[in-house]
């Protein structure tokens, strides 16, 4: 039977690495993320305008585009990368490190956000990919306006995700909270959007009607 993400879960904390130092790098808290990721975002915007000389209105437009593009990336990464698992041991290990531990221990508060060290590493890889794409179109400098928006989208998503696991849902966002709960506890192959439900609607992965009741 092909390995897949299930609704099975446990209470407590996951152990990802036996080495204490590596294990410490898998944990974080909101303040660390705000300081580290916020500094990166502000630094890139300043670099785009002051050092590279991009027009502030152009940066605003690129930032907004990046912010929206994150919502699509959020869905695609969650569905096709974080939920990718095969019978191969290495892929199961990769899955557990990246996302499986979260499904197994959904209330592990220290792992509801991406820790700064792996987060910055992955952000650097994504920045490089976007730089190549903009370079192909002859405008690599635009990456410095686009990526801060994309990264801000990630930061906002990450705090919404954390909130869905540790806070009671505000009345206005009750359906969004329930959407992610259904993904964890009833339909792990649906409801991949966390900060929004747009792409689940577009790609037909919304939970069955009535399941939110």
């Amino acid at each position: 039977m092909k390995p897949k993400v299930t609704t099975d879960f446990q209470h407590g904390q996951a152990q990802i690495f036996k080495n204490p130092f590596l294990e410490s790098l898998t944990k974080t808290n909101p303040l660390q993320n705000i300081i580290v990721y916020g500094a990166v975002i502000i630094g890139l915007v300043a670099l785009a305008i002051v050092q590279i000389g991009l027009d502030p209105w152009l940066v605003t437009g690129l930032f907004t585009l990046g912010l929206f593009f994150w919502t699509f990336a959020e869905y695609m990464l969650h569905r096709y990368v974080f939920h990718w698992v095969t019978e191969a041991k290495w892929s199961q290990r990769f899955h557990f490190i990246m996302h499986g531990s979260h499904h197994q221990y959904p209330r592990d508060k220290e792992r509801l956000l991406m820790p700064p060290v792996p987060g910055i590493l992955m952000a650097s890889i994504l920045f490089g990919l976007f730089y190549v794409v903009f370079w192909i179109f002859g405008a690599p400098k635009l990456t410095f306006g686009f990526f801060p928006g994309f990264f801000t989208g990630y930061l906002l998503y990450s705090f919404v995700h954390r909130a869905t696991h540790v806070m009671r849902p505000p009345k206005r966002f009750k359906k969004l909270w329930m959407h992610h709960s259904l993904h964890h506890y009833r339909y792990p192959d649906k409801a991949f959007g966390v900060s929004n439900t747009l792409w689940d609607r577009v790609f037909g992965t919304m939970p069955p009607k009535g399941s939110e009741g």
Side-chain angles (χ1 to χ4, degrees):
M1 190 172 179
K2 185 178 178 181
K4 62 179 181 179
V5 177
T6 71
T7 56
D8 296 335
F9 70 95
Q10 301 176 42
H11 297 287
Q13 276 197 334
Q15 181 181 22
I16 295 178
F17 296 106
K18 292 183 179 180
N19 181 283
F21 175 70
L22 292 178
E23 182 74 354
S24 70
L25 296 181
T26 69
K27 301 178 181 182
T28 190
N29 61 65
L31 183 60
Q32 282 183 342
N33 282 38
I34 291 172
I35 292 173
V36 175
Y37 295 149
V40 171
I41 291 166
I42 293 170
L44 285 173
V45 171
L47 185 64
I49 296 173
V50 178
Q51 187 68 30
I52 296 176
L54 296 180
D55 183 85
W57 286 109
L58 175 60
V59 171
T60 301
L62 290 167
F63 187 98
T64 304
L65 179 63
L67 192 65
F68 177 74
F69 186 74
W70 163 257
T71 65
F72 176 71
E74 172 191 321
Y75 177 90
M76 299 301 286
L77 288 169
H78 191 182
R79 182 176 181 179
Y80 294 109
V81 178
F82 297 155
H83 275 243
W84 176 78
V85 58
T86 72
E87 294 180 357
K89 293 297 183 182
W90 69 266
S91 78
Q92 292 178 27
R93 179 62 176 160
F94 171 82
H95 168 72
F96 182 76
I97 292 172
M98 293 298 296
H99 194 62
S101 60
H102 172 57
H103 270 269
Q104 191 172 343
Y105 296 91
R107 294 179 181 268
D108 183 350
K109 292 184 179 181
E110 291 185 304
R111 293 193 176 93
L112 292 175
L113 301 170
M114 179 63 73
V117 172
I120 293 298
L121 287 173
M122 284 191 280
S124 299
I125 293 170
L126 288 170
F127 180 90
L129 290 174
F130 287 131
Y131 190 89
V132 170
V133 171
F134 279 105
W135 174 77
I136 290 172
F137 287 96
K141 292 181 180 180
L142 298 186
T143 314
F144 292 89
F146 175 87
F147 193 76
F150 181 84
F151 206 14
T152 298
Y154 163 74
L155 191 60
L156 294 175
Y157 141 82
S158 69
F159 280 98
V160 170
H161 178 236
R162 187 178 190 278
T164 62
H165 284 278
V166 303
M167 293 175 55
R168 292 179 62 85
K171 187 175 181 180
R172 187 175 179 181
F173 298 104
K174 187 175 181 179
K175 287 187 176 180
L176 188 62
W177 256 240
M178 179 60 69
H179 188 75
H180 190 56
S181 292
L182 288 171
H183 172 73
H184 270 278
Y185 304 116
R186 291 183 65 182
Y187 304 106
D189 59 342
K190 298 183 184 298
F192 294 103
V194 177
S195 66
N196 68 92
T197 62
L198 171 63
W199 300 106
D200 281 302
R201 297 178 190 279
V202 170
F203 293 112
T205 52
M206 286 291 290
K209 289 185 177 180
S211 59
E212 295 182 358

